[in-house]
Amino acid sequence: MSVEGPDRELLEQPWVPMCLGGIQLLVKSCFGDTVYRLLLSDMQNVWEEQVDATVIQNRAQELNKRLHAPVDAFFSHLCTVARPLLAGEASTELVENGVQPSITLLCLRPDLLTLQLKSELAGVPFYWEFRCMQSSIPVVCSQLVRPLLAVSRVLQKQVMELATLLSRKDVEIQDYRESGAVLSRGRLHTECFDLQHYQETFLTQVLPKVCAVQDCFGFDTTLQWLYGAVTVQGIEEQEKSLVSYPVEN
Amino acid sequence: MSVEGPDRELLEQPWVPMCLGGIQLLVKSCFGDTVYRLLLSDMQNVWEEQVDATVIQNRAQELNKRLHAPVDAFFSHLCTVARPLLAGEASTELVENGVQPSITLLCLRPDLLTLQLKSELAGVPFYWEFRCMQSSIPVVCSQLVRPLLAVSRVLQKQVMELATLLSRKDVEIQDYRESGAVLSRGRLHTECFDLQHYQETFLTQVLPKVCAVQDCFGFDTTLQWLYGAVTVQGIEEQEKSLVSYPVEN
């Protein structure tokens, strides 16, 4: 992980939608040098796990009693097998070898979310469990609340800019009309854009449909792209504005 | 509070920006029948307090040893004095009487945020403390994460709709131009709108400025309005989709 710490590394990762055991989840993962960090949310709760070499060694032995290997081998295997799965990619190399590693949801409670990885290491089955505890509110603020507020601000700015562009188009169209120009086909005629009227119509007609999807799958490709743009852009600003809790009792 | 419970009541309240002791905070409050609930965030953390009649009676006596009154009188006073302050309104009635109730930030730590109210009750000073503990991740998801994702989705939908409208205007303008129409003033001319080019330009030129504000004050009036629209609309959908943690270990 970089000198800026695991929070920044994780902030730069995209949220990957996964469906495990019928549950929609958003997953972020970050693999470093014999450490990994995992963050998951079902939009009702957020869980995370951060493990180091010691935990990896102990848990690998606990879950694979007959396997003896140095921690580097376990971690390297996790990187090869789990990292692409958690990033929403299939590991083509392993599929070609006929071994299909899989991740399943073992447990989902407010205080614990466990994912089980089944794979094969050196010709024998290899098991791993990602044991994620409930995350912390500062992490939720950093990884979800502030970026989503920034995404909203960016999109709101775009709506205002596009509304201004529409008004300029209307002025141009009005000038053509006043000069006596007529359309070759009537269906090309557009109504003058009125932002307030548009917002009111949108509120009653479109908003209910959009709001019907308030789950992980609402975090679509475009929003993911904007999430990435605002987090990369915002990291410096966020670090500058981090409150150091100056008021103590 | 309604039969739907305090979560829904609180969800329907707007986030009110406040600046206390130089700290920007977003505040939500909800006063019921001798109970209140308060939710605060500095976008790094979230705190909340929910108190009932017993807590009100005990704390009012603890902080105002010489004042003896039934809990109804204390609560009624809190409603009259604190509710408008927490809703970002000034209580004109009290200002006219020459008594200026005020709220100050006593303590801001990750685990505790305390606000002190100073006012006057029956002619003597009356003190109250809002003692907010760190909130819970499900509350943060419900009150911030899911609504902000819904706001983003709504705005993203608007951007796409306005882009489509711009393209239709361009087709109309093109038809006028091809019929030989000319503008009375050259400055009314607009360039053909290209969404991809717009997004790319926006990313490099506008986004950095928008992302510079990733704090409470970024939650502006328009976003507040949208927050209200999506939460009211989304409450039914959210209740329908509430995961009951079906996977247990």
Side-chain angles (χ1 to χ4, degrees):
Chain A
M1 311 234 171
S2 81
V3 289
E4 291 87 356
D7 275 331
R8 178 172 176 161
E9 290 279 328
L10 204 58
L11 198 53
E12 286 171 344
Q13 305 306 313
W15 283 103
V16 177
M18 295 183 83
C19 193
L20 294 172
I23 308 285
Q24 292 176 23
L25 294 168
L26 288 172
V27 184
K28 265 191 182 211
S29 55
C30 184
F31 286 75
D33 182 21
T34 66
V35 295
Y36 72 75
R37 191 167 171 204
L38 197 60
L39 192 66
L40 296 109
S41 177
D42 63 355
M43 302 306 269
Q44 321 272 347
N45 215 325
V46 184
W47 301 264
E48 69 171 297
E49 186 182 40
Q50 181 162 3
V51 302
D52 58 17
T54 313
V55 175
I56 289 169
Q57 180 72 53
N58 293 345
R59 195 180 300 169
Q61 291 306 163
E62 170 202 336
L63 296 170
N64 306 276
K65 297 202 191 301
R66 293 172 53 196
L67 253 177
H68 295 281
V71 68
D72 288 355
F74 289 133
F75 191 73
S76 163
H77 179 73
L78 276 180
C79 282
T80 312
V81 174
R83 180 153 57 177
L85 283 174
L86 294 170
E89 302 155 12
S91 172
T92 49
E93 192 192 343
L94 285 149
V95 171
E96 281 165 14
N97 290 343
V99 183
Q100 294 261 12
S102 64
I103 288 182
T104 49
L105 184 61
L106 272 196
C107 167
L108 188 153
R109 296 196 315 245
D111 60 329
L112 180 69
L113 183 149
T114 310
L115 300 182
Q116 186 185 51
L117 171 78
K118 288 184 193 176
S119 66
E120 202 170 287
L121 176 60
V124 294
F126 175 78
Y127 295 92
W128 183 257
E129 285 180 12
F130 297 95
R131 297 170 182 170
C132 306
M133 307 302 212
Q134 193 173 51
S135 184
S136 69
I137 290 179
V139 167
V140 178
C141 285
S142 154
Q143 300 283 338
L144 282 165
V145 175
R146 292 204 300 274
L148 283 174
L149 180 57
V151 165
S152 297
R153 282 173 50 77
V154 163
L155 288 167
Q156 172 60 15
K157 181 82 180 170
Q158 288 193 350
V159 167
M160 297 314 289
E161 283 195 1
L162 297 190
T164 304
L165 275 180
L166 278 164
S167 297
R168 288 185 51 214
K169 298 271 176 209
D170 280 329
V171 172
E172 181 172 358
I173 287 168
Q174 188 60 26
D175 195 70
Y176 286 127
R177 287 177 189 162
E178 283 171 1
S179 74
V182 285
L183 289 168
S184 64
R185 286 155 294 171
R187 64 176 174 78
L188 301 184
H189 175 86
T190 60
E191 295 299 325
C192 194
F193 179 75
D194 178 62
L195 181 60
Q196 192 178 342
H197 175 72
Y198 170 77
Q199 300 277 26
E200 284 164 9
T201 311
F202 189 92
L203 202 64
T204 55
Q205 294 177 7
V206 185
L207 190 130
K209 294 172 203 159
V210 179
C211 287
V213 184
Q214 293 203 10
D215 55 27
C216 301
F217 292 172
F219 213 142
D220 65 13
T221 320
T222 311
L223 291 181
Q224 281 282 358
W225 178 81
L226 275 168
Y227 179 95
V230 301
T231 48
V232 166
Q233 183 62 50
I235 279 171
E236 279 188 30
E237 279 83 1
Q238 285 180 27
E239 285 176 349
K240 271 191 284 180
S241 71
L242 271 176
V243 175
S244 53
Y245 297 106
V247 185
E248 296 279 339
N249 199 2
Chain B
M1 310 233 172
S2 81
V3 289
E4 291 87 356
D7 276 331
R8 176 170 178 162
E9 290 278 328
L10 204 59
L11 197 53
E12 287 170 345
Q13 305 306 313
W15 282 104
V16 177
M18 295 184 82
C19 192
L20 294 173
I23 309 285
Q24 293 176 23
L25 295 168
L26 288 172
V27 184
K28 265 191 182 212
S29 55
C30 184
F31 285 75
D33 181 21
T34 66
V35 295
Y36 71 75
R37 192 168 170 203
L38 197 59
L39 192 66
L40 295 110
S41 176
D42 64 355
M43 301 307 268
Q44 321 272 347
N45 215 325
V46 183
W47 302 264
E48 68 172 298
E49 185 182 41
Q50 182 163 3
V51 302
D52 57 18
T54 312
V55 175
I56 290 169
Q57 180 72 51
N58 293 345
R59 195 179 300 168
Q61 291 305 162
E62 169 202 336
L63 296 170
N64 306 275
K65 297 200 192 303
R66 292 171 55 198
L67 253 178
H68 295 279
V71 67
D72 288 355
F74 289 133
F75 191 73
S76 162
H77 179 72
L78 275 180
C79 282
T80 311
V81 173
R83 179 153 58 177
L85 283 173
L86 294 170
E89 303 155 11
S91 172
T92 48
E93 191 192 343
L94 285 148
V95 171
E96 281 166 13
N97 290 343
V99 183
Q100 295 262 12
S102 65
I103 288 183
T104 50
L105 184 61
L106 272 196
C107 167
L108 188 153
R109 297 196 315 243
D111 60 328
L112 180 69
L113 183 149
T114 311
L115 301 181
Q116 187 185 52
L117 170 78
K118 287 185 192 176
S119 66
E120 200 168 288
L121 176 60
V124 294
F126 176 78
Y127 295 92
W128 182 257
E129 285 180 12
F130 297 95
R131 298 169 182 170
C132 306
M133 306 303 210
Q134 193 173 50
S135 184
S136 69
I137 291 180
V139 166
V140 178
C141 285
S142 153
Q143 300 283 339
L144 282 166
V145 176
R146 291 204 300 275
L148 283 173
L149 180 58
V151 165
S152 297
R153 283 173 50 77
V154 162
L155 289 167
Q156 172 60 15
K157 179 85 180 166
Q158 288 193 350
V159 166
M160 296 314 289
E161 284 195 0
L162 297 190
T164 303
L165 275 180
L166 278 163
S167 297
R168 288 183 52 211
K169 299 269 176 212
D170 279 328
V171 172
E172 181 172 358
I173 287 169
Q174 189 59 26
D175 194 71
Y176 287 126
R177 287 178 189 161
E178 283 170 2
S179 75
V182 286
L183 289 167
S184 64
R185 285 156 294 171
R187 63 176 175 78
L188 301 185
H189 175 87
T190 60
E191 294 300 324
C192 195
F193 179 75
D194 178 63
L195 181 60
Q196 194 180 339
H197 175 73
Y198 170 76
Q199 300 277 27
E200 285 164 9
T201 311
F202 189 92
L203 202 65
T204 54
Q205 294 177 6
V206 185
L207 190 128
K209 294 172 203 158
V210 179
C211 286
V213 185
Q214 293 202 11
D215 56 26
C216 300
F217 292 171
F219 213 141
D220 64 13
T221 319
T222 311
L223 290 181
Q224 283 281 359
W225 179 81
L226 275 168
Y227 179 96
V230 301
T231 48
V232 166
Q233 183 62 49
I235 278 170
E236 280 189 28
E237 279 82 0
Q238 286 181 28
E239 286 176 349
K240 272 191 285 180
S241 71
L242 272 176
V243 175
S244 54
Y245 296 107
V247 185
E248 295 279 338
N249 199 2

